[in-house]
Amino acid sequence: MNWIDKIKKIRSLPLVGLLITILLSSIFLITINYYSLRTMSAVRAYINGESNYSKGEKEATISLLYYLHSGEKNHWDNFKSYIDIPVGDSVARNALLSGGARERAREGLLQGQNHEADIDDMMWLFENFQDIELMEGAIDTWRQADSVINRKYVIAQEIQASINEGSIDSKRGAFLTRINENGKVLTELEKEFSANLGAGARSIRTYLFYANVIIVLLILTSVSIYVLAFLRRLELQNKQLQNANKELDRLAYGVSHDLRAPIHSMLGLVNVARVESDSSKFKSYLDMIQKTLNKQERFIKEMITISKENRLGVKKGIIELDYLIDQVIGLHEHMPEAKGIKFSRKIGVHRVFSDSHRLEIVLNNLVSNAIKYHDPNKEKKKIEIITRSEGDNVCIDVADNGLGIEGRDKTKIFEMYYMSSDRKKGSGLGLFIVKEAIEKLQGKVEVKSVKGEGSTFTVVLNK
């Protein structure tokens, strides 16, 4: 595909879908903000209305107290004028609860001295939110307050009757007590009403904030997806080529590195056969060569299979570790470089549930590395493979008394193509392949090493 075709393909990206998403998100954002602001305005109006309700009730109480002591008609008229404010709100509440008589509700709210511009928002909030937390508690408190207001009106009527009968002097103390108790109850209910509305207003503010954040994130996400798709179209082929080259590098290294071991083993057997004077042993050497060739053929097939399986995921099964370790040692012990190295094993755990192909490649690489970097100056050279249990993990140690690793190199030896100044024998891919294979097995590989004393590589797998 040439660059012109690529540009045409990029232009065909779903720009219309992006614009539609942004448009719908913007409409949704505007709608949420509109109704949220309307709700906040209505809550503010109710808080102001509660202030008028409370002020009217307090003024009515003062006028009633004046009337109780003086019996003057103007105080009674003042009481009726002020008590009409909370009574009007009560009329509006009952009209709205009945689901109709909106004009009656409007008249009641106006009687409660609520601002005319706020009436529609107040009725809208009541009708749409009366059954949810925002208004349900406040409405119930409002109902209780109206009931106390009605009791205050009853007290006022009893006072008026007593004044008209001339028996007020004997009852004045009892009336004062009832008025005070009534006022205390109303004060608490008024506080509760304001607290409920205040909590509702804070909740709305929080919901509004999160709604705005979500919508903005939705818009940003849509734009980001479009941009990422745009860039991905440009980079997709390049990434595919890089992945293919990386896979080829790994496969080529696996074939060149891991096939070298059996070839060296066979060369060792040929050299032994050449100097062997007993012809009766030739057959055993040929059998060993045949066995190695069979392993080599199997390994080639397995490498091809592993390359394919890298795209398909890990295939796990029960692995007999003692058999696998015997295979690994048998593959390496006849290599010319392994001459004089004593191989041993210590099997503390016999089985593990993992991918046998990948685990065999890991152990082959670790043993091959141990041979490659053995210390030729030591009289007793050794490589030991140990399996052991550690909590919920199975650990496989490949330990040697070879050259060891410099401290500064320990954190870098698993990087692709990394080779320290004193370790130039390999290609720098072996330990990288070990690390990648172990990560696919959801395990880890650790190393402990002392320069001049040897190294221990530990493969950690979940049981």
Side-chain angles (χ1 to χ4, degrees), residues 96-333:
L96 290 170
L97 282 173
S98 67
R102 286 177 60 85
E103 285 304 315
R104 184 71 183 113
R106 177 182 292 275
E107 291 172 2
L109 290 172
L110 289 172
Q111 181 180 323
Q113 295 190 353
N114 296 284
H115 197 285
E116 186 174 2
D118 293 331
I119 301 299
D120 287 335
D121 285 344
M122 294 176 75
M123 291 194 296
W124 171 82
L125 183 67
F126 192 107
E127 291 168 341
N128 289 279
F129 294 89
Q130 60 181 302
D131 295 324
I132 67 172
E133 185 179 358
L134 171 62
M135 287 294 292
E136 188 176 27
I139 290 173
D140 185 63
T141 304
W142 187 359
R143 176 189 59 78
Q144 295 178 54
D146 287 347
S147 177
V148 179
I149 289 290
N150 288 335
R151 290 202 296 272
K152 185 186 291 291
Y153 199 86
V154 170
I155 294 171
Q157 288 178 324
E158 292 178 6
I159 291 173
Q160 184 185 40
S162 297
I163 289 175
N164 292 336
E165 293 171 358
S167 58
I168 190 64
D169 291 339
S170 61
K171 299 178 182 179
R172 186 175 284 113
F175 282 134
L176 281 172
T177 300
R178 290 171 66 187
I179 291 171
N180 287 333
E181 291 176 352
N182 183 274
K184 289 178 181 179
V185 173
L186 275 171
T187 298
E188 293 302 317
L189 289 173
E190 288 160 0
K191 290 180 180 178
E192 185 177 342
F193 182 85
S194 296
N196 287 334
L197 285 177
R202 288 188 292 273
S203 297
I204 291 172
R205 182 177 59 194
T206 301
Y207 296 148
L208 176 61
F209 172 77
Y210 285 118
N212 282 319
V213 169
I214 291 171
I215 298 301
V216 169
L217 287 177
L218 179 61
I219 294 173
L220 292 177
T221 300
S222 301
V223 174
S224 299
I225 290 172
Y226 176 80
V227 171
L228 288 174
F230 185 90
L231 295 175
R232 187 174 178 81
R233 293 289 181 95
L234 287 176
E235 297 177 359
L236 183 58
Q237 285 188 326
N238 185 45
K239 186 176 180 180
Q240 288 174 341
L241 287 173
Q242 288 177 346
N243 290 338
N245 288 334
K246 186 178 180 181
E247 191 65 33
L248 285 173
D249 285 343
R250 294 179 188 176
L251 182 60
Y253 172 75
V255 172
S256 64
H257 184 274
D258 290 290
L259 288 183
R260 192 179 296 124
I263 291 173
H264 285 185
S265 180
M266 287 187 290
L267 287 174
L269 289 171
V270 170
N271 290 331
V272 171
R274 281 179 176 173
V275 299
E276 180 60 62
S277 58
D278 188 353
S279 60
S280 62
K281 293 183 179 180
F282 288 165
K283 185 177 183 303
S284 64
Y285 293 146
L286 291 173
D287 289 341
M288 293 172 70
I289 291 173
Q290 179 66 47
K291 183 179 179 181
T292 303
L293 285 171
N294 289 337
K295 290 180 181 178
Q296 188 175 16
E297 182 183 13
R298 185 191 67 190
F299 178 74
I300 292 171
K301 291 179 180 178
E302 289 176 348
M303 281 298 298
I304 295 172
T305 302
I306 289 291
S307 179
K308 293 178 180 178
E309 287 179 350
N310 280 340
R311 301 182 184 91
L312 301 176
V314 175
K315 293 183 179 179
K316 292 187 176 183
I318 299 296
I319 301 173
E320 299 290 343
L321 290 175
D322 47 355
Y323 174 77
L324 176 61
I325 290 170
D326 282 344
Q327 292 287 97
V328 172
I329 291 175
L331 187 65
H332 291 85
E333 62 183 348

Side-chain angles (χ1 to χ4, degrees), residues 64 175 182 367 393:
L64 183 60
F175 282 134
N182 183 274
V367 171
N393 298 320

